[in-house]
Amino acid sequence: MMARKTGSHSDITGPRIQSAALELFARHGYAAVSMRQIAAEVGVQAGALYNYVPHKQALLFELMRGHMEALLTASENLGGGTPGQALDEFVRFHIAYHLERVDLVFLSYMELRALEPENFTQIEALRRSYEDKLEAILRAGQGGAFVVEDTKLTTMALIAMLTGVTNWFRAEGRLSPDAVAENYVAMARRLVGARA
Amino acid sequence: MMARKTGSHSDITGPRIQSAALELFARHGYAAVSMRQIAAEVGVQAGALYNYVPHKQALLFELMRGHMEALLTASENLGGGTPGQALDEFVRFHIAYHLERVDLVFLSYMELRALEPENFTQIEALRRSYEDKLEAILRAGQGGAFVVEDTKLTTMALIAMLTGVTNWFRAEGRLSPDAVAENYVAMARRLVGARA
DNA sequence: CTATGATTTGAACAGGTGTTCAGTTAACAC
DNA sequence: GTGTTAACTGAACACCTGTTCAAATCATAG
């Protein structure tokens, strides 16, 4: 009855399509990449892609959704300890996690406008709930451990500052990921007026 | 001899092409916008664009180059006074200037990868020389007015944090541009460990 | 009015787009 | 071997792409 278990290509080709799309979308942008280019990278004809993906938009959306949901899962247990400890932990986590996934981060940030409205809404909600974790940390320290005038503004400032690392960081560069993270921990602490 | 001075359309159509391209590129992305869409926005056929622009790439490049050079000119006299004053001034300038040109900022940041290599190099050099102005301020305060471990890293952190405002700011929102700027001045001061 | 030349049209060029699908290929079960 | 079915090809669909250019249009100068 069942045909093809070992040697079946479907569990190989599927992920290969995803990673080819990720790389090409991140490098050239969603609109600039054609299904035929993705297929060529995988070593297959364009028609074969449609055994795995209903359409181009779904390819982009699933990459983003997967990324955001993995991020939420990975950050699930953040926020323990004092506000100061929680902030340090968040900064270290954010930088380490994002530096290991620069393409996904870049894509999820740059191609939001390529999403159809309802897909955009979904991704935006996931992003919001990640940012809420940071804001909760700031609120916990507000008036006590931290000096924060506006937790919403400070959240946006911190997220932008931290995520910005993925734009300029180079593995061959002067500083290791850990060294960068420690430097950003110090900056983040001062930014929120954390007690020494 | 000369024909058409008054009523000549060329000095009208030219700028209209630029602003239509800016809006469409910013909203949908360079690759996703066609010359025919730009022409339609201007109310003209696609062929007419080529009286004003040699090709699509030049349209993007000139928008970016114009933006970066205007930014450099506008920021020419920044950096006077004490390091603390200079930083405050830079933060206020950066936020005010960028909030008045969100489309250009967005475009110049998102579509770097759509530039051909030599165009990219030029824009990147202009951006660098703007960032250098901030780094000079930080170096002037290093070891004295400021606590800064690494001026390069701090520059990147501050630029990312400040430019990030253009991504979430809404004119109808809770805070005025000035209120946002003052809040960011306070955060920037703490971030660099400026003395109260 | 006519002549001039800037400005724009509209069609054409060679090629690319996402997506579909009948038909071929290939790996397994029996 | 044969039968089954997942996986893939290759061609076709209708349409869009940036760019060019002869011809038409139009506003002015004289």
Side-chain angles (χ1 to χ4, degrees):
Chain A
M1 283 295 166
M2 277 177 39
R4 293 238 223 165
K5 269 183 191 147
T6 340
S8 171
H9 283 185
S10 93
D11 46 357
I12 298 276
T13 306
R16 291 230 298 155
I17 291 172
Q18 295 243 122
S19 83
L22 169 58
E23 194 202 311
L24 289 170
F25 286 165
R27 172 136 54 228
H28 305 292
Y30 174 74
V33 172
S34 73
M35 295 300 267
R36 284 171 180 81
Q37 284 172 57
I38 296 169
E41 196 80 15
V42 176
V44 106
Q45 289 305 112
L49 301 183
Y50 291 86
N51 292 326
Y52 302 91
V53 181
H55 42 251
K56 193 187 177 189
Q57 168 81 197
L59 201 41
L60 175 66
F61 176 62
E62 285 306 317
L63 283 168
M64 289 196 187
R65 202 183 51 83
H67 169 58
M68 292 310 297
E69 271 170 5
L71 174 66
L72 284 174
T73 302
S75 61
E76 217 157 40
N77 298 322
L78 254 48
T82 68
Q85 290 168 336
L87 178 67
D88 289 4
E89 192 189 5
F90 185 93
V91 170
R92 290 196 184 95
F93 165 80
H94 187 99
I95 290 182
Y97 191 89
H98 284 66
L99 277 187
E100 276 169 1
R101 293 160 182 84
V102 271
D103 278 359
L104 275 172
V105 171
F106 194 74
L107 185 79
S108 300
Y109 179 63
M110 300 295 251
E111 298 298 346
L112 282 170
R113 64 185 166 189
L115 289 175
E116 286 158 12
E118 72 267 36
N119 290 341
F120 175 81
T121 306
Q122 268 187 70
I123 299 295
E124 205 53 16
L126 292 171
R127 174 191 312 279
R128 180 70 62 99
S129 72
Y130 177 68
E131 292 171 357
D132 284 350
K133 299 188 183 203
L134 175 56
E135 200 187 348
I137 294 171
L138 297 181
R139 260 201 308 269
Q142 198 178 24
F146 298 156
V147 177
V148 184
E149 295 86 8
D150 186 313
T151 56
K152 193 73 204 135
L153 235 64
T154 307
T155 300
M156 299 314 277
L158 278 171
I159 291 277
M161 163 179 138
L162 297 180
T163 307
V165 173
T166 58
N167 287 325
W168 55 260
F169 184 83
R170 297 290 168 261
E172 333 82 64
R174 182 165 55 90
L175 295 166
S176 72
D178 278 359
V180 171
E182 289 314 309
N183 210 313
Y184 271 71
V185 165
M187 290 193 283
R189 276 187 194 158
R190 288 196 299 263
L191 168 36
V192 302
R195 312 191 181 293
Chain B
M1 284 299 166
M2 277 175 42
R4 293 239 221 164
K5 267 183 193 147
T6 340
S8 169
H9 282 183
S10 91
D11 45 357
I12 297 276
T13 308
R16 291 231 296 155
I17 291 172
Q18 294 242 122
S19 84
L22 170 58
E23 194 202 309
L24 288 171
F25 286 165
R27 170 137 55 227
H28 305 292
Y30 174 75
V33 172
S34 72
M35 294 301 266
R36 283 171 181 82
Q37 284 172 56
I38 297 168
E41 196 82 17
V42 176
V44 105
Q45 290 304 112
L49 301 183
Y50 291 86
N51 292 325
Y52 302 90
V53 180
H55 41 251
K56 194 187 177 189
Q57 169 80 196
L59 201 40
L60 176 65
F61 176 62
E62 284 306 318
L63 283 168
M64 289 196 187
R65 203 183 51 82
H67 169 59
M68 292 311 297
E69 271 169 5
L71 174 65
L72 284 174
T73 302
S75 62
E76 216 157 43
N77 298 322
L78 254 48
T82 68
Q85 290 167 339
L87 178 67
D88 290 5
E89 193 189 5
F90 185 94
V91 170
R92 290 196 185 94
F93 165 80
H94 187 98
I95 290 181
Y97 191 90
H98 283 67
L99 277 186
E100 276 169 2
R101 293 161 182 84
V102 270
D103 278 359
L104 274 172
V105 172
F106 195 74
L107 185 79
S108 301
Y109 180 62
M110 300 294 253
E111 298 298 345
L112 283 170
R113 63 184 167 189
L115 288 175
E116 285 157 12
E118 73 267 37
N119 290 341
F120 175 82
T121 306
Q122 267 187 72
I123 299 296
E124 206 53 17
L126 292 170
R127 175 190 312 278
R128 178 71 61 99
S129 73
Y130 177 68
E131 292 171 357
D132 284 349
K133 298 187 184 204
L134 176 55
E135 200 186 350
I137 294 172
L138 297 181
R139 260 201 309 269
Q142 198 177 23
F146 299 156
V147 177
V148 184
E149 295 88 6
D150 185 313
T151 57
K152 193 73 206 136
L153 235 64
T154 307
T155 301
M156 300 313 276
L158 278 170
I159 292 276
M161 162 179 139
L162 297 180
T163 307
V165 172
T166 58
N167 287 325
W168 54 261
F169 184 84
R170 297 290 169 261
E172 334 81 64
R174 181 165 57 90
L175 296 166
S176 71
D178 278 359
V180 171
E182 288 315 308
N183 210 312
Y184 271 71
V185 164
M187 289 193 284
R189 275 187 196 158
R190 288 196 299 262
L191 170 34
V192 302
R195 312 191 181 293

